[in-house]
Amino acid sequence: MNSSNCGKSKFCFSIPNKCDPTDIDCLFMSSELLNDGSFRFEMSGLSDGYIAIGFSSDTLMGNDDVYICLINTTEQVEVQYASTTGRSPPTIKDLGKVKNIETSFNNGVIKCSFVTSNPISVEQSDSDSLYYVFLALGPVQDGHIRKHTKIPSITSQKVNISEPGNSFSSIPILIKVHGSIMLVTWMTVGTTGMIFARFWKGVMIKQILGKELWFQVHISLMTLTVASTVIAFILAFIHVQGWSSNLPHAIMGCVVMFLTFLQPIIALFRPSPQHKRRIIFNVFHALTGFVLRILSDVTILFGLKFIDASPNGWMEKVMGGLVGWGILRDVLFYANVYFWKKDGDENPKGKIRNEKILVIIYLCGNLIFVITLLVGIGQS
């Protein structure tokens, strides 16, 4: 099995694009139309459970055909023919007109090839015989496949699997928009709003619409954070139409959404600054903000891990650098506050010393990391 005939006699779809199945990190499928009208399918991928190809008239698997190569309970690789049923486990069907099955499992890589004369059945049949092709992998339990561990790779457009060619994968556009909005919202807009509340309070004291400037900036940025989070949250559910297979990301995303809603609601009922219970609000508001910051970082990291198909996981590494940059920002800001106190200036009202420079430096570095990740999301 190799990619030498891709575009010549075979249609091929692989992750990374145009990789060769001899490469251990290559997730690969090919189809070849034979003289008798049957198809020869090949699959290869690094998995200790299963790899699968599916065919659909859209980018959502409905009642569509799937071929699965999985490691069964006897530790052998077998081929299964199935039909997806929405978000439920696929229904295994009789192999039917499947023959010439060849399988192997070496160095963690599942390989299989077979010839089939079964007609391809999809939920919404089209006369043009064009399909979106899905490539997925995941774990197996007791001989049955479980949910895939990453978003399945999908051809960027409908393809004709009977014609030689190569296709490229693309993460669904709604998932890209969801990820991009969440990344900018929580790694730039939200964190900047938190900076103004923590380090500019008592510094930006100019009154705007009856409130100090730091507060107006903080509330504006955090309102934008809430609105953007809601939009991105809705987009994800529109695409998935249910619960995500990336369970940690989905659960943590819901927690972030809940706490994001909770923050402004609690703020509406905060006591006056002179009230004896104001300290309770201050502690709760600050603690919730701190938890949101950590949860948003981890949730985005899980999301990037879910869509990053690169062998070296470079997007997760860039995200780690972005988190580290935020920690360095805090160290510098707290150091700045320490030197205020060391100079005996406990309340430097209206005195903008190093804060402006620190914010500019932070935002410049932040944007470099964020733009790099946005490019990665766009190319995923």
Side-chain angles (χ1 to χ4, degrees):
M1 185 185 303
N2 58 61
S3 60
S4 60
N5 289 323
C6 292
K8 298 176 182 178
S9 62
K10 300 190 298 188
F11 165 82
C12 296
F13 178 40
S14 57
I15 314 299
N17 292 323
K18 293 189 176 181
C19 65
D20 192 281
T22 57
D23 182 354
I24 193 172
D25 294 314
C26 182
L27 180 59
F28 176 89
M29 70 78 60
S30 71
S31 66
E32 182 178 6
L33 180 63
L34 304 180
N35 292 332
D36 61 358
S38 61
F39 282 96
R40 175 182 287 112
F41 287 116
E42 298 176 324
M43 282 187 274
S44 175
L46 181 65
S47 174
D48 58 0
Y50 72 89
I51 55 176
I53 53 174
F55 308 94
S56 180
S57 57
D58 53 30
T59 57
L60 296 172
M61 290 300 291
N63 295 315
D64 303 318
D65 274 358
V66 178
Y67 285 99
I68 306 165
C69 293
L70 82 161
I71 302 173
N72 60 24
T73 54
T74 63
E75 298 299 316
Q76 301 297 312
V77 177
E78 70 173 82
V79 174
Q80 291 183 345
Y81 179 41
S83 176
T84 57
T85 53
R87 301 190 61 79
S88 302
T91 300
I92 305 301
K93 302 189 290 188
D94 184 82
L95 278 177
K97 301 177 181 179
V98 176
K99 59 184 180 180
N100 299 344
I101 298 175
E102 297 180 6
T103 65
S104 68
F105 181 60
N106 294 307
N107 298 321
V109 176
I110 297 175
K111 292 182 182 290
C112 66
S113 67
F114 53 91
V115 174
T116 177
S117 299
N118 293 327
I120 295 177
S121 175
V122 296
E123 188 172 31
Q124 300 173 5
S125 298
D126 294 324
S127 58
D128 55 11
S129 298
L130 300 178
Y131 311 101
Y132 286 100
V133 178
F134 288 64
L135 256 177
L137 53 81
V140 169
Q141 184 177 15
D142 298 326
H144 301 284
I145 70 171
R146 310 297 293 175
K147 286 184 178 180
H148 39 75
T149 52
K150 288 181 176 287
I151 294 178
S153 298
I154 310 171
T155 52
S156 57
Q157 59 186 5
K158 287 185 177 181
V159 296
N160 189 339
I161 61 172
S162 63
E163 294 183 354
N166 284 283
S167 186
F168 301 97
S169 69
S170 179
I171 298 296
I173 187 64
L174 285 182
I175 295 299
K176 290 184 179 182
V177 175
H178 162 82
S180 298
I181 291 176
M182 286 298 197
L183 178 67
V184 174
T185 295
W186 283 104
M187 302 313 298
T188 301
V189 178
T191 54
T192 305
M194 294 178 188
I195 288 173
F196 277 89
R198 176 62 187 89
F199 298 106
W200 288 66
K201 184 177 182 180
V203 177
M204 296 178 67
I205 60 174
K206 181 180 179 180
Q207 294 282 318
I208 300 292
L209 299 177
K211 300 289 184 180
E212 291 185 357
L213 182 56
W214 72 267
F215 179 79
Q216 297 289 27
V217 174
H218 170 71
I219 198 171
S220 298
L221 291 176
M222 300 319 293
T223 299
L224 180 58
T225 297
V226 173
S228 300
T229 301
V230 171
I231 292 171
F233 191 76
I234 292 172
L235 288 177
F237 273 91
I238 289 175
H239 172 76
V240 177
Q241 296 184 348
W243 196 246
S244 171
S245 59
N246 184 0
L247 197 58
H249 177 78
I251 292 175
M252 295 174 69
C254 289
V255 175
V256 168
M257 185 73 260
F258 172 74
L259 294 178
T260 301
F261 257 126
L262 186 63
Q263 281 286 68
I265 292 174
I266 296 298
L268 289 175
F269 299 97
R270 66 187 184 278
S272 64
Q274 294 77 29
H275 197 283
K276 64 179 181 179
R277 294 179 180 173
R278 176 69 178 219
I279 185 63
I280 298 176
F281 164 78
N282 290 341
V283 171
F284 179 83
H285 193 66
L287 182 60
T288 304
F290 178 72
V291 171
L292 272 171
R293 178 181 164 186
I294 294 176
L295 282 180
S296 61
D297 287 352
V298 178
T299 304
I300 292 172
L301 183 61
F302 274 116
L304 292 174
K305 186 177 180 65
F306 197 52
I307 68 172
D308 185 7
S310 62
N312 59 358
W314 71 267
M315 293 177 70
E316 297 101 285
K317 295 176 182 177
V318 173
M319 181 62 190
L322 178 55
V323 173
W325 184 249
I327 294 173
L328 178 60
R329 171 207 67 205
D330 287 350
V331 170
L332 293 176
F333 267 104
Y334 278 112
N336 189 47
V337 172
Y338 169 78
F339 284 112
W340 281 349
K341 295 181 178 180
K342 188 175 181 181
D343 292 341
D345 194 352
E346 295 288 343
N347 190 21
K349 285 187 175 296
K351 297 179 182 178
I352 299 178
R353 296 184 173 182
N354 302 316
E355 293 85 354
K356 185 183 295 184
I357 296 175
L358 290 176
V359 167
I360 292 173
I361 292 174
Y362 164 69
L363 287 177
C364 288
N366 175 274
L367 290 176
I368 291 173
F369 283 107
V370 169
I371 291 172
T372 301
L373 289 172
L374 288 175
V375 171
I377 292 172
Q379 294 177 344
S380 61

